[in-house]
């Protein structure tokens, strides 16, 4: 705009037209200033909104990351507390919702044991390889395979809380789907804590077999107690069988004990099928179930309890574990 030319023209106009023109010029100027102010405000508002949106996105991203991290950290706590029976509280557990075996909770027994057969003439070589043990789809999977490894023809895995957790009394339970086949021996069991220092103390240290299964009879499981004067084939043991042709290889079942100062009770899916008391045991030996025991879970191959695999045995065989929990009385 040429401001001087516009002023010269304005002065040369008749007074009436000059007033009208000045009025119009004032209105136009105010309108222009108003538009500029509106535009500037909207533009600033848009920038602020964008910045705010960016900040919100950053906050959301951080929140998502935090949520993801928290979810990852707390996955193992993700279970329905309604599953805890009345009168009990959770003392220890593994829900197997992470991406790998939690080595803050578990260690591995590897090799062939102190006597070359884990005390039972077993045939497997235990490893900690992902080929034999992994966490996948919210389950711990222990995989027994036929392969040449470590001078043996079979491999598998055994996990233990020997170095991380032991307990005296409580409810110890696991939800498991079992493998099957001649010579396959899945077990969920506990042993006296002193065994870790000296395996020769067995059976004096005590052993509680929460669940054992002979793979050639996959619809039946056993709950047993071993101690001084009552071990091996002379232990206290009872079994639980599914009706008809049902097997524990076709379904998940909850295997549990409730261990008290003078008795141990065994359960399958909430049904109690066995109780042994201190009075029962005293007829054959001392009651040695008054101190810390730790947890073991494994799949053995062969041994004097189940016999060797034969041509009917299919490999690999997988034990799937949904959770393991230890509860204490309130």
């Amino acid at each position: 705009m040429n401001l001087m030319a516009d002023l010269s023209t304005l002065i040369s106009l008749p007074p009436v037209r000059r007033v009208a023109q000045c009025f119009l010029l004032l209105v136009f100027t105010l309108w222009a200033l108003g538009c500029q102010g509106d535009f500037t405000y909207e533009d600033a508002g848009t920038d602020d909104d964008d910045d705010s949106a960016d900040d919100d996105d950053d906050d959301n991203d951080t929140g998502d990351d935090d949520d993801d991290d928290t979810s990852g950290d707390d996955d193992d706590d993700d279970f329905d507390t309604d599953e805890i029976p009345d009168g009990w509280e959770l003392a220890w557990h593994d829900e197997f919702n992470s991406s790998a075996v939690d080595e803050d909770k578990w260690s591995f027994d590897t090799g062939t044991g102190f006597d070359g057969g884990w005390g039972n003439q077993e045939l497997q070589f235990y490893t900690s390889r992902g080929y034999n043990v992994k966490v996948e789809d919210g389950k711990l999977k222990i995989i027994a395979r036929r392969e040449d490894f470590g001078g043996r023809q079979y491999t598998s895995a055994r996990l233990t809380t020997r170095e991380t957790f032991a307990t005296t009394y409580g409810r110890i339970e696991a939800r498991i789907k079992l493998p099957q086949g001649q010579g396959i021996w899945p077990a969920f069991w506990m042993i006296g804590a002193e065994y870790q220092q000296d395996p020769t103390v067995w059976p004096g240290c005590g052993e509680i077999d929460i669940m054992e299964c002979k793979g050639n009879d996959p619809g039946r499981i056993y709950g047993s107690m071993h101690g001084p004067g009552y071990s091996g084939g002379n232990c206290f043991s009872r079994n639980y069988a599914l009706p008809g042709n049902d097997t524990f290889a076709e379904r998940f079942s909850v295997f549990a004990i409730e261990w008290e100062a003078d008795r141990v009770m065994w359960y399958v899916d909430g049904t109690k099928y066995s109780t042994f008391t201190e009075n029962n045991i005293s007829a054959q030996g001392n009651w040695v179930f008054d101190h810390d025991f730790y947890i073991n879970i494994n799949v053995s191959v062969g041994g004097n309890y189940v016999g060797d695999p034969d041509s009917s045995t299919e490999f690999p065989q997988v034990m799937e574990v949904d959770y393991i929990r230890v509860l204490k009385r309130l």
Side-chain angles (χ1 to χ4, degrees):
M1 175 183 290
N2 189 333
L3 184 60
M4 295 302 297
D6 289 344
L7 289 174
S8 176
T9 301
L10 184 62
I11 292 170
S12 66
L13 290 174
V16 174
R17 292 189 61 188
R18 189 185 310 154
V19 171
Q21 191 69 24
C22 287
F23 177 78
L24 289 174
L25 182 60
L26 177 61
V27 170
F28 175 81
T29 301
L30 291 174
W31 175 84
L33 290 172
C35 286
Q36 183 178 2
D38 286 345
F39 176 77
T40 302
Y41 176 78
E42 289 174 2
D43 190 45
T46 301
D47 287 343
D48 287 343
D49 288 344
D50 287 345
D51 290 343
S52 175
D54 288 342
D55 289 342
D56 287 344
D57 287 343
D58 289 341
D59 289 341
N60 289 338
D61 288 344
T62 302
D64 289 343
D65 289 343
D66 288 344
D67 288 345
D68 288 344
D69 290 342
T70 300
S71 176
D73 291 340
D74 293 341
D75 270 346
D76 204 45
D77 295 327
D78 186 17
F79 71 96
D80 188 352
T81 55
D82 289 340
E83 296 176 12
I84 298 177
D86 290 342
W88 298 90
E89 63 180 353
L90 192 65
W92 182 96
H93 69 124
D94 197 339
E95 307 297 314
F96 301 109
N97 288 328
S98 58
S99 59
V101 173
D102 186 345
E103 295 189 13
D104 289 332
K105 295 180 178 178
W106 300 100
S107 57
F108 299 93
D109 284 332
T110 58
T112 58
F114 71 95
D115 65 346
W118 295 102
N120 303 297
Q121 300 178 9
E122 298 166 28
L123 303 179
Q124 79 286 335
F125 190 105
Y126 281 138
T127 86
S128 59
R129 303 176 303 164
Y131 200 51
N132 294 116
V133 57
K134 60 184 176 179
V135 175
E136 182 179 68
D137 301 325
K139 308 288 189 295
L140 170 69
K141 298 182 180 181
I142 299 176
I143 308 162
R145 298 182 181 274
R146 178 186 282 129
E147 61 169 331
D148 292 330
F149 188 94
R152 297 299 176 94
Q153 293 181 310
Y154 305 96
T155 60
S156 187
R158 179 158 114 181
L159 284 73
T160 176
T161 66
R162 177 182 61 243
E163 299 174 2
T164 58
F165 176 78
T167 188
T168 304
Y169 311 139
R171 178 180 172 91
I172 298 91
E173 63 180 24
R175 185 172 183 265
I176 307 173
K177 186 162 113 175
L178 300 182
Q180 62 182 329
Q182 171 59 39
I184 302 300
W185 181 3
F188 170 46
W189 54 291
M190 304 179 73
I191 196 165
E194 60 267 40
Y195 182 86
Q196 65 178 307
Q197 303 297 331
D198 179 11
T200 64
V201 301
W202 188 90
C205 61
E207 176 182 329
I208 304 172
D209 298 324
I210 302 170
M211 180 283 302
E212 291 182 290
C213 182
K214 298 179 179 182
N216 64 343
D217 187 11
R220 185 184 307 274
I221 57 92
Y222 297 80
S224 308
M225 299 180 78
H226 304 258
Y230 50 99
S231 62
N234 195 37
C235 69
F236 285 86
S237 184
R238 292 196 180 102
N239 69 79
Y240 177 93
L242 292 172
N245 295 319
D246 288 352
T247 77
F248 291 106
E250 299 170 331
R251 52 188 275 180
F252 280 90
S253 296
V254 177
F255 305 104
I257 60 165
E258 291 182 5
W259 172 19
E260 299 178 358
D262 64 346
R263 69 192 59 227
V264 179
M265 297 162 282
W266 281 258
Y267 297 81
V268 174
D269 292 327
T271 298
K272 182 167 70 173
Y273 72 92
S274 179
T275 302
F276 289 118
T277 68
E278 185 174 1
N279 287 337
N280 299 141
I281 299 298
S282 63
Q284 289 185 228
N286 293 330
W287 177 264
V288 292
F289 305 95
D290 55 0
H291 61 284
D292 274 356
F293 280 51
Y294 60 85
I295 299 169
N296 305 279
I297 188 162
N298 58 276
V299 179
S300 301
V301 180
N304 51 26
Y305 185 66
V306 296
D308 295 349
D310 60 22
S311 60
S312 71
T313 310
E314 298 181 357
F315 286 90
Q317 286 293 324
V318 183
M319 173 194 275
E320 296 187 58
V321 185
D322 185 21
Y323 62 76
I324 299 176
R325 298 173 186 164
V326 177
L327 310 177
K328 292 286 190 178
R329 289 279 188 192
L330 292 173

